[in-house]
Amino acid sequence: MSVKMIDRPTVPQTNKEHAIYLQEYHILSEYNMLCSQDLKGIYVIPSAQNSLLWLGVQFVRQGMYQGGIFRFTITLPQTFPDGGCPKVMFQTPVFHPLIDPESGELCTSWGFPEWRKSNRIWQLIQFITKILAKVDIKMNPVNHEATNLLENNFEAFRDRVKRCVRDSLNKVYNPPILDDPHYITFSPYVDELHDSVKREIYERKEEEENKVLGLSWVQSGSLQPFSKPEAR
């Protein structure tokens, strides 16, 4: 017995192009919203080659992971803004209950049990900062060793965290693992190269602090505003 295949209507190329432009608009909008947020110590930028791949670095400023520098990527679904929560993968190993020790994938369901269209990528990035600043013992673990130590041997857990922080610092200057112009790289401080830039930053800051804000048009010895002759 043969089955007759039903020809499905093909989507016009113009509709496909429109969908691509619309997706790019959503991605650009998400990035603009991210830039408007005051997120401390975390830097993220879309890949120059694939806008669905975002490259990030987290500088941890507080908590047990303080001082750590952890690289990660955010991969948006192919059907973004549909398709569920973007996937977060740590490239730098992080000993954490919510981070898979083998793949480096972050368990985002703890912060986003259901990814809604109202959710934003900057909220996901903020979630990354929060789980590294404070480890909640109630987290649903994907790293069972980390969870076991956290619950039963806190000192051993803290030692493992300190070790992963030290290891992250040793990897800061590693060459890029992706051939991408937007890959965030770092180089050691070189006096001849960076001192002039450092001085310029501090001099500009001092100028801004000493800058007079506005002009006074009050005659000396008077409380009457705009009392100077030239202001009349």
Side-chain angles (χ1 to χ4, degrees):
M1 182 176 64
S2 62
V3 179
K4 182 179 179 181
M5 299 298 294
I6 300 175
D7 293 333
R8 297 182 181 274
T10 57
V11 179
Q13 185 65 30
T14 53
N15 287 354
K16 289 183 180 179
E17 292 175 352
H18 175 73
I20 292 174
Y21 292 142
L22 186 60
Q23 184 183 67
E24 290 292 332
Y25 171 80
H26 280 295
I27 293 173
L28 181 60
S29 175
E30 289 284 350
Y31 187 67
N32 285 336
M33 281 189 281
L34 168 62
C35 293
S36 69
Q37 302 299 316
D38 187 22
L39 302 180
K40 305 294 187 183
I42 194 163
Y43 302 89
V44 184
I45 186 171
S47 162
Q49 301 170 348
N50 178 8
S51 59
L52 296 176
L53 176 66
W54 292 27
L55 312 171
V57 180
Q58 169 76 70
F59 292 78
V60 185
R61 297 184 174 183
Q62 60 182 343
M64 282 189 290
Y65 297 86
Q66 182 176 358
I69 303 176
F70 303 109
R71 292 186 180 276
F72 62 90
T73 60
I74 299 176
T75 304
L76 311 185
Q78 291 292 329
T79 55
F80 184 83
D82 300 320
C85 184
K87 181 183 294 186
V88 179
M89 304 287 291
F90 277 88
Q91 298 166 321
T92 309
V94 187
F95 189 72
H96 191 284
L98 289 183
I99 299 175
D100 189 288
E102 299 297 329
S103 66
E105 182 174 357
L106 171 65
C107 178
T108 56
S109 61
W110 173 253
F112 303 93
E114 180 183 356
W115 184 264
R116 299 182 175 89
K117 284 193 174 182
S118 59
N119 289 126
R120 296 290 174 252
I121 295 177
W122 72 262
Q123 295 171 324
L124 178 61
I125 294 171
Q126 186 180 56
F127 174 68
I128 296 172
T129 300
K130 287 182 177 180
I131 63 106
L132 291 174
K134 182 179 180 181
V135 182
D136 192 335
I137 198 171
K138 298 178 182 179
M139 291 176 173
N140 297 326
V142 292
N143 186 333
H144 296 283
E145 181 187 6
T147 302
N148 181 56
L149 289 179
L150 178 62
E151 293 177 348
N152 303 308
N153 192 339
F154 184 75
E155 290 301 320
F157 175 78
R158 185 163 57 183
D159 288 342
R160 290 290 298 274
V161 170
K162 289 181 178 179
R163 189 193 310 171
C164 87
V165 168
R166 289 194 301 269
D167 291 344
S168 75
L169 298 179
N170 293 332
K171 294 179 172 64
V172 169
Y173 303 126
N174 285 2
I177 63 173
L178 296 175
D179 184 16
D180 193 298
H182 287 180
Y183 190 87
I184 304 173
T185 60
F186 304 97
S187 59
Y189 190 94
V190 179
D191 294 342
E192 295 79 6
L193 181 62
H194 299 115
D195 275 353
S196 59
V197 179
K198 182 179 178 181
R199 283 195 301 270
E200 183 180 348
I201 292 173
Y202 279 97
E203 288 172 359
R204 189 180 306 166
K205 183 177 180 181
E206 291 175 358
E207 290 176 0
E208 291 176 355
E209 290 176 349
N210 297 328
K211 185 178 180 180
V212 177
L213 300 178
L215 298 173
S216 173
W217 297 102
V218 178
Q219 179 69 35
S220 178
S222 169
L223 297 179
Q224 179 66 35
F226 301 106
S227 59
K228 284 188 177 181
E230 60 268 29
R232 294 175 182 171

